[in-house]
C-alpha cells in the first residue's frame, strides 16, 4: 500500500458514452461556451461603462456574471480539449484545482444570491436607509465576502482531500469532483474529517438558502399592501427568484446524484445532471436580467438601434 498515494493522473471515464458523438458535442459545446462568454461579458461591460448603472444592484449583478465566467472557464476549455483527445486524463494537481474552481463557483453563486436578496430587502423594506446601509464600502465588503468565503471553505475541503491515499485513478465524471476523489480513498476511516467538513459546508449554504427564503417571505409580506412596492418586486426581484430557482434545482440535482445517485441511471443522463449548473444558470441569468431590468434593456436596445442606423 506504499504506492497508493503516488497517483499523478486521473482518467475521466465519464466520456465513455460520448465516443460516437464527440464531434457533434464539441461543436455544440463550443457554441454554447461562446454564447455564455458573449452574454456575460456584454452585461459586465454594459454595467462598467454606464455610470447610471453604478448602483449596488447592478454591481452585484456584474459580480454574478463575473462569477459565471470564472466557473465556466474552469470547465469548458478542458472539456473541449478532452473531446478532441483520444484519452481523457487530468493531472492530480489539475484535478484538485478544477474541483476547487467548480465548487467555489457554485458556493459563490449562492452567496451572491443571498447578498442580492439582502439588497432587495433593504431597497423595498427600508428605502429611506438604503443609501446609508448599501454604501459603496459595504457593497465592496459584501462582494469580497461572496468570493473569498466560498473559496476558503472549498479550499479547506480540497486540502483535506489532498492528504488521502488513493487506490484508483478513475473518476466516473466529465470533470473532477471533490467527493468523487474522496470516495477513491483506500482507507474509508481516513475520510471521516472530510465527511464532517463537507456536511458543515452543506449546512453553511443551506443557511444561505434559508436566509434568501426568509428575505423573500418578508418582501412578499411587505409588497402585498403597496402597489408601488409590488411594481418594484416584479421589476427587480422576479429575475432574482428565477436565477435562484434555476441555480438551486441544478445544484441540488448534482449533489443528490453525487451522494445518493443510482449507478443504474444512464451515463448520458448523469452527465447532463453533472454539467447542468455550468450550463443553464450562466446562460439564463444574464438574459433574464438583461430583458427584465429596464435600465439594462434600454441601454442594450439603444446600442443595437445605434448600430443598425
Amino acid at each position: 500500500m506504499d504506492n497508493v498515494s503516488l497517483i499523478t493522473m486521473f482518467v475521466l471515464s465519464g466520456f465513455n458514452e460520448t465516443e460516437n458523438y464527440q464531434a457533434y458535442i464539441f461543436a455544440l459545446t463550443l457554441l454554447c461556451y461562446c454564447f455564455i462568454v458573449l452574454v456575460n461579458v456584454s452585461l459586465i461591460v454594459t454595467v462598467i461603462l454606464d455610470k447610471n448603472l453604478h448602483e449596488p444592484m447592478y454591481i452585484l449583478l456584474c459580480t454574478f456574471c463575473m462569477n459565471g465566467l470564472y466557473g465556466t472557464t474552469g470547465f469548458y476549455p478542458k472539456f473541449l480539449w478532452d473531446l478532441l483527445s483520444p484519452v481523457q486524463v487530468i493531472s492530480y494537481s489539475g484535478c484538485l484545482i478544477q474541483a476547487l474552481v467548480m465548487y467555489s463557483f457554485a458556493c459563490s453563486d449562492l452567496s451572491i444570491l443571498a447578498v442580492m436578496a439582502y439588497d432587495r430587502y433593504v431597497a423595498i423594506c427600508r428605502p429611506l436607509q438604503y443609501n446609508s446601509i448599501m454604501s459603496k464600502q459595504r457593497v465592496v465588503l459584501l462582494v469580497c465576502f461572496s468570493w473569498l468565503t466560498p473559496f476558503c471553505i472549498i479550499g479547506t475541503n480540497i486540502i483535506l482531500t489532498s492528504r488521502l491515499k488513493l487506490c484508483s485513478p478513475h473518476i466516473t465524471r466529465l470533470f473532477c469532483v471533490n467527493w468523487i476523489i474522496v470516495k477513491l480513498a483506500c482507507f474509508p476511516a481516513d475520510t471521516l474529517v472530510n465527511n464532517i467538513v463537507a456536511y458543515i459546508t452543506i449546512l453553511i449554504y443551506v443557511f444561505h438558502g434559508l436566509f434568501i427564503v426568509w428575505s423573500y417571505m418578508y418582501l412578499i409580506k411587505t409588497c402585498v399592501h403597496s402597489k408601488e412596492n409590488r411594481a418594484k418586486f416584479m421589476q427587480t426581484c422576479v429575475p432574482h427568484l428565477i436565477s435562484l430557482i434555476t441555480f438551486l434545482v441544478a445544484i441540488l440535482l448534482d449533489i443528490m446524484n453525487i451522494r445518493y445517485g443510482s449507478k443504474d441511471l444512464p451515463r448520458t443522463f448523469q452527465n447532463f445532471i453533472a454539467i447542468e449548473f455550468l450550463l443553464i444558470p450562466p446562460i439564463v441569468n444574464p438574459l433574464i436580467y438583461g430583458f427584465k431590468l429596464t435600465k439594462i434593456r434600454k441601454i442594450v436596445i439603444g446600442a443595437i438601434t445605434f448600430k443598425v442606423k
Side-chain angles (χ1 to χ4, degrees), residues 64-80:
F64 202 35
C65 292
M66 287 179 179
N67 192 57
L69 290 176
Y70 162 71
T72 52
T73 301
F75 169 71
Y76 283 99
K78 177 68 172 70
F79 180 68
L80 289 166

Side-chain angles (χ1 to χ4, degrees), residues 13-51:
S13 57
F15 285 86
N16 293 345
E17 299 294 322
T18 67
E19 290 177 355
N20 299 324
Y21 312 100
Q22 286 186 349
Y24 302 105
I25 296 172
F26 177 86
L28 187 62
T29 303
L30 181 61
L31 182 66
C32 180
Y33 182 50
C34 289
F35 186 72
I36 287 171
V37 172
L38 175 65
V39 293
N40 281 277
V41 168
S42 297
L43 203 147
I44 290 166
V45 171
T46 300
V47 172
I48 290 173
L49 294 182
D50 195 302
K51 292 183 179 180

